[in-house]
Amino acid sequence: MKIEDQIAVIGAGMAGLTVARTLVDAGHSVVVFDKGRGLGGRMASRRRDGWRFDHGAIVLRPTDEAFTAPIAQNEDQGYAAQWADAAGWTGLPGMSGSVKPLAQPLTVQTQAEVTGLERSGNGWVLHGVGQAEGVKFDRLVLAIPQPQALRLLSPWPDLQATIAPAEMDPCWTVMVGFETPLPTDLTYANDLSGPISVIARETAKPGRDLLGDAWVIQASADWSRTHLEREQAEVTPPLLEAFFDTLGCPPVAPVISMAHRWRYALTRKPLSQPFVHKHGLGLSICGDWCLGPTVQDAFNSGRSLAAELLSE
């Protein structure tokens, strides 16, 4: 890869930001595009009326030194803190804060959805929304969920076939806040049975200053798949009922309630390789789904791809 190459990275989650930052630190020119309003992808925080909910990734649990090191550095800089109840780390002031140091030197275009790709000479032209429309690059990295990558790669069936074996599950997430604390000592639970997979008490996380007792409820993959096309107002009542049953406390009406449908939340079946790289096309693909379901998998996918690109 030549130092003068112009590189586009589609996706500002952990994988995309990791590969982009590594390339920029090596002197390359990179622009990151993301359809969302903020950074972090599924490391997302929802804010409304003074409330904040980490409605995507709940906790970071590094198991290798390569991922532990940047999290520890974030902690030193005030972007992350250890959350003992969940045996891991959380971002500050919300989960999305943990990617801010990674993105600080990057050029990122948000609310710029790429809806199509065009091969032009030896490069790539992006088509889409806002500043994603009509821009040409020498190299292209797709760092988005596998089903979204499949759609963009429809003109290249061989590439689609390469990534097709990976599978991802959806997740309905409900965010609720109560004026007074619920009568329970529970702050975090995962691997639950029934319709709920994860419960997290946002108020119990370090560095949170919220208006009341805030909770995130994440449905199981099976429940989410069965109710995927339901409206937000339809999924909240049954998940709230299961939530109170799990806590073993009487139902209380929340003062704030929201729901979010993650169509592509967690990897069910990984691709079992860290990335896909087609040198002749100048096209690469990475993401958590290449390796597994965690933020660490996304980080390692992006880091491995960047190393491959820099070795050319």
Side-chain angles (χ1 to χ4, degrees), residues 30-115:
V30 181
V31 180
V32 181
F33 296 89
D34 196 277
K35 67 178 184 178
R37 290 180 294 178
L39 305 177
R42 283 161 284 160
M43 298 174 66
S45 301
R46 176 75 63 86
R47 295 177 294 276
R48 181 178 294 178
D49 300 332
W51 296 81
R52 179 191 293 270
F53 303 89
D54 293 336
H55 65 299
I58 299 292
V59 62
L60 304 175
R61 291 199 185 97
T63 60
D64 63 41
E65 178 58 30
F67 189 48
T68 301
I71 293 178
Q73 185 175 26
N74 282 352
E75 185 177 13
D76 292 341
Q77 296 173 350
Y79 291 103
Q82 293 191 48
W83 184 21
D85 292 351
W89 276 261
T90 181
L92 295 175
M95 185 58 82
S96 58
S98 58
V99 300
K100 288 182 179 178
L102 194 60
Q104 280 175 350
L106 302 180
T107 300
V108 182
Q109 303 291 348
T110 56
Q111 295 183 290
E113 183 177 4
V114 176
T115 57

Side-chain angles (χ1 to χ4, degrees), residues 4-277:
E4 63 268 22
D5 282 348
Q6 301 295 306
I7 305 161
V9 174
I10 302 175
M14 177 58 78
L17 293 177
T18 298
V19 67
R21 176 63 183 269
T22 306
L23 294 177
V24 165
D25 285 349
H28 291 274
S29 177
V30 181
V31 180
V32 181
F33 296 89
D34 196 277
K35 67 178 184 178
R37 290 180 294 178
L39 305 177
R42 283 161 284 160
M43 298 174 66
S45 301
R46 176 75 63 86
R47 295 177 294 276
R48 181 178 294 178
D49 300 332
W51 296 81
R52 179 191 293 270
F53 303 89
D54 293 336
H55 65 299
I58 299 292
V59 62
L60 304 175
R61 291 199 185 97
T63 60
D64 63 41
E65 178 58 30
F67 189 48
T68 301
I71 293 178
Q73 185 175 26
N74 282 352
E75 185 177 13
D76 292 341
Q77 296 173 350
Y79 291 103
Q82 293 191 48
W83 184 21
D85 292 351
W89 276 261
T90 181
L92 295 175
M95 185 58 82
S96 58
S98 58
V99 300
K100 288 182 179 178
L102 194 60
Q104 280 175 350
L106 302 180
T107 300
V108 182
Q109 303 291 348
T110 56
Q111 295 183 290
E113 183 177 4
V114 176
T115 57
L117 305 173
E118 177 186 346
R119 187 77 170 135
S120 177
N122 291 325
W124 292 91
V125 175
L126 309 185
H127 296 291
V129 177
Q131 297 187 51
E133 173 59 35
V135 190
K136 184 174 180 179
F137 292 89
D138 301 297
R139 299 273 186 149
L140 177 63
V141 175
L142 302 184
I144 52 181
Q146 181 255 23
Q148 295 174 350
L150 281 172
R151 287 197 292 270
L152 286 181
L153 293 173
S154 59
W156 300 276
D158 289 349
L159 282 173
Q160 284 185 312
T162 300
I163 67 171
E167 298 176 3
M168 300 190 74
D169 281 327
C171 177
W172 267 111
T173 298
V174 169
M175 298 152 272
V176 288
F178 303 92
E179 188 173 7
T180 59
L182 296 180
T184 177
D185 293 329
L186 182 70
T187 55
Y188 175 79
N190 65 347
D191 296 326
L192 299 170
S193 59
I196 295 178
S197 174
V198 178
I199 292 174
R201 197 172 203 167
E202 295 293 296
T203 320
K205 292 181 177 180
R208 301 306 194 263
D209 183 16
L210 303 174
L211 297 178
D213 196 13
W215 295 79
V216 168
I217 307 160
Q218 293 187 332
S220 69
D222 288 343
W223 194 95
S224 298
R225 196 178 302 110
T226 300
H227 300 88
L228 187 59
E229 302 306 330
R230 303 282 291 274
E231 297 295 327
Q232 293 185 17
E234 295 177 297
V235 303
T236 299
L239 289 176
L240 263 182
E241 181 181 357
F243 167 71
F244 285 115
D245 286 345
T246 301
L247 296 188
C249 60
V252 179
V255 295
I256 185 170
S257 176
M258 298 178 285
H260 182 85
R261 174 175 44 212
W262 296 102
R263 287 190 179 275
Y264 317 117
L266 292 170
T267 304
R268 180 168 71 246
K269 178 183 176 184
L271 191 62
S272 298
Q273 62 186 75
F275 57 84
V276 173
H277 177 54

